C-alpha cells in the first residue's frame, strides 16, 4: 500500500509517501512562501527521490480542514489534478486527526489547536493510551476561554500535550497548569506524515472519494462571506 499524503492547511506545507506504514519520503517547508509556489515541486521531488511513479500510488490522502481557506483550496486542487488522470482514490483526512498521529507512542491527551484568528481556535481533543488514539470530541471552532474551560475539566493526573500552529498562542492561557505542555518543535506543526499515517492506520474503516468529490471541510465561513453576512444583518 503506497499513499501519497499532502498537508497545506496552514503556513507550513508538506508531502510524504507512506508505504506499508513506513515513511518512504517526506518534505516539509515553513518559509512563508505560498503553497502554489512550493507544493507541486515538493511532490515531484518526493516521488523522484523515492523512485516512485504516480501510477504506483494506491491513494492520495490530504488534510481537508479545518484550516486556511486558501491553503486548503490549493492542496485540494493539486490532489484533483494528480488523481484524476490516473483515477487514484482520495482520502480526506481531518487536519486535527493528522496532528494527533505524532504522539501515538505516548499515553496522553492531545489538544490539537490551530489559530483561527480573532481569539478563536480550531480544535479537537484525543486520548492516547497503549498506542490507541480515541477522539474525545468533534472538530470545532472555540473561543480561547471556551477551550481553556474544557482543558481544566481534564484530570490533573493526565498529561496534556498541545500541538499545532496555535499551540504557543493557546499555551499562554494555560501555562499555569502543571500537566499541560507544548509539543516539542519537531512534532508541533501539521505534517503530511501524520496525514498519511492516519490514512494507513485507518485504511479498513475510512471511505475514499473520487477526485471530483473531494471537498474542503470548513468550520466557519470564509472571512469575505462573514463580512458580507454582517453587513447584510446590519441593514436589517
Amino acid at each position: 500500500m503506497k499513499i501519497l499524503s499532502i498537508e497545506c492547511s496552514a503556513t507550513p506545507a508538506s508531502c510524504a509517501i507512506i508505504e506499508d506504514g513506513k515513511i518512504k519520503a517526506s518534505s516539509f517547508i515553513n518559509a512563508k512562501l505560498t503553497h502554489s509556489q512550493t507544493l507541486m515541486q515538493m511532490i515531484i521531488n518526493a516521488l523522484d527521490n523515492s523512485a516512485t511513479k504516480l501510477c504506483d500510488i494506491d491513494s492520495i490522502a490530504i488534510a481537508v480542514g479545518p484550516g486556511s481557506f486558501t491553503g486548503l483550496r490549493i492542496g485540494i486542487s493539486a490532489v484533483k489534478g494528480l488523481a484524476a488522470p490516473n483515477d487514484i482514490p482520495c482520502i480526506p483526512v481531518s487536519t486535527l486527526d493528522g496532528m494527533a498521529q505524532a504522539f501515538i507512542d505516548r499515553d496522553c491527551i492531545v489538544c490539537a489547536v490551530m489559530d483561527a484568528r480573532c481569539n478563536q481556535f480550531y480544535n479537537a481533543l484525543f486520548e492516547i493510551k497503549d498506542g490507541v488514539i480515541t477522539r474525545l470530541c468533534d472538530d470545532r471552532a472555540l473561543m480561547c476561554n471556551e477551550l481553556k474551560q474544557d482543558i481544566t475539566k481534564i484530570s490533573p493526573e493526565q498529561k496534556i500535550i498541545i500541538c499545532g500552529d496555535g499551540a504557543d498562542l493557546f499555551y499562554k492561557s494555560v501555562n499555569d497548569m502543571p500537566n499541560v505542555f507544548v509539543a516539542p518543535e519537531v512534532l508541533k506543526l501539521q505534517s503530511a506524515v501524520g496525514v498519511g499515517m492516519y490514512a494507513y492506520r485507518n485504511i479498513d474503516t475510512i471511505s475514499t472519494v473520487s477526485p471530483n468529490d473531494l471537498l474542503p471541510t470548513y468550520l466557519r465561513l470564509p472571512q469575505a462571506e462573514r463580512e458580507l453576512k454582517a453587513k447584510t444583518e446590519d441593514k436589517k
Side-chain angles (χ1 to χ4, degrees):
M1 168 65 70
K2 293 183 180 179
I3 299 172
L4 169 63
S5 57
I6 296 170
E7 222 301 347
C8 51
S9 62
T11 302
S14 57
C15 68
I17 296 173
I18 307 297
E19 183 173 0
D20 298 330
K22 305 295 183 181
I23 304 169
K24 191 172 184 181
S26 67
S27 183
F28 177 95
I29 188 167
N30 188 23
K32 296 186 178 179
L33 297 173
T34 63
H35 299 325
S36 58
Q37 292 176 279
T38 60
L39 185 60
M40 286 306 301
Q41 191 58 56
M42 293 169 66
I43 294 170
I44 292 170
N45 290 344
L47 290 168
D48 288 345
N49 293 337
S50 62
T52 304
K53 296 179 181 179
L54 188 58
C55 60
D56 296 329
I57 296 296
D58 295 297
S59 58
I60 302 179
I62 180 169
V64 294
S68 158
F69 299 103
T70 302
L72 294 176
R73 286 194 294 266
I74 290 172
I76 288 174
S77 296
V79 171
K80 287 176 179 287
L82 292 167
N86 296 287
D87 198 26
I88 302 173
C90 301
I91 302 175
V93 177
S94 161
T95 306
L96 304 171
D97 272 319
M99 291 161 63
Q101 303 304 305
F103 307 94
I104 197 168
D105 62 344
R106 61 198 73 188
D107 290 354
C108 64
I109 300 292
V110 172
C111 176
V113 290
M114 300 180 66
D115 184 6
R117 312 299 180 189
C118 302
N119 204 35
Q120 193 174 46
F121 294 96
Y122 299 132
N123 165 259
L125 299 175
F126 304 85
E127 182 177 21
I128 303 180
K129 187 172 179 58
D130 298 329
V132 177
I133 301 176
T134 303
R135 255 188 179 270
L136 300 181
C137 63
D138 293 332
D139 290 357
R140 56 203 182 160
L142 295 179
M143 298 302 294
C144 183
N145 64 320
E146 294 175 321
L147 181 52
K148 181 178 180 179
Q149 289 175 5
D150 255 16
I151 293 297
T152 56
K153 295 175 184 176
I154 297 172
S155 168
E157 296 180 359
Q158 286 191 287
K159 182 177 182 179
I160 302 172
I161 299 177
I162 305 174
C163 64
D165 64 278
D168 292 331
L169 182 60
F170 176 63
Y171 182 66
K172 294 177 182 178
S173 301
V174 293
N175 59 10
D176 58 333
M177 298 176 63
N179 63 322
V180 179
F181 304 87
V182 175
E185 194 65 30
V186 70
L187 300 176
K188 184 190 299 181
L189 297 179
Q190 297 92 309
S191 168
V193 170
V195 173
M197 293 305 296
Y198 175 86
Y200 175 77
R201 290 165 179 161
N202 296 276
I203 197 66
D204 293 331
T205 57
I206 56 180
S207 300
T208 61
V209 299
S210 70
N212 288 337
D213 293 329
L214 187 65
L215 295 170
T217 300
Y218 298 138
L219 294 184
R220 64 180 189 182
L221 294 172
Q223 182 176 352
E225 293 185 29
R226 296 199 307 270
E227 291 176 352
L228 178 61
K229 182 179 179 181
K231 289 179 181 179
T232 302
E233 291 176 351
D234 288 343
K235 292 179 180 180
K236 292 181 180 179

